[in-house]
Amino acid sequence: MHEMSIALAVVDQVESAARPAGAGTVHSIRLQVGELAGVVPDALAFSFELACAGTVLEGAELVTEPVAARARCGPCADTWAVGMPPRLSCPGCGGATAELLSGRELQIVSVCWNDAPVHVPTHEER
């Protein structure tokens, strides 16, 4: 299941940004997942929960935003929803020179975290 390697990569990227920024806990991550990315959202959510254990992301919510696959025909400039299985020939002119515009995305869109509490030295510690 490659969703586990994706989840581990997301956790690694978020941790590498969160720790130096002083994050105490990560609450949520928004991830765009293209229709043609080959990712099963339920498997990714399950893997993400396991990958977060013992990190600043433990308990974080993974929000996946699906991105529909769309293509454009070079000769006639028609655009269409590719769908699954992918239809890559132009429905307008029948041309086979489609350019895929969207649907392969797999990217972190946003991360929400709380900063770690700042330790203020007491009078005795100064």
Side-chain angles (χ1 to χ4, degrees), residues 43-101:
L44 180 60
F46 176 77
S47 298
F48 179 76
E49 187 176 334
L50 294 175
C52 289
T55 71
V56 295
L57 287 87
E58 189 162 2
E61 176 187 19
L62 177 65
V63 179
T64 55
E65 297 178 352
V67 179
R70 295 202 52 83
R72 177 178 42 232
C73 177
C76 77
D78 190 17
T79 62
W80 67 94
V82 172
M84 280 304 281
R87 179 182 179 177
L88 297 176
S89 60
C90 178
C93 71
T97 57
E99 172 191 4
L100 196 56
L101 301 174

Side-chain angles (χ1 to χ4, degrees), residues 6-7 9-11 13-14 28-39 44 48 61-68 101-111:
I6 293 168
V10 168
V11 168
Q13 287 182 16
V14 172
S28 65
I29 297 172
R30 280 185 29 227
L31 189 68
Q32 283 186 335
V33 180
E35 183 178 18
L36 303 176
V39 174
L44 180 60
F48 179 76
E61 176 187 19
L62 177 65
V63 179
T64 55
E65 297 178 352
V67 179
L101 301 174
S102 64
R104 291 181 283 181
E105 294 82 358
L106 185 55
Q107 61 186 9
I108 298 169
V109 177
S110 66
V111 179

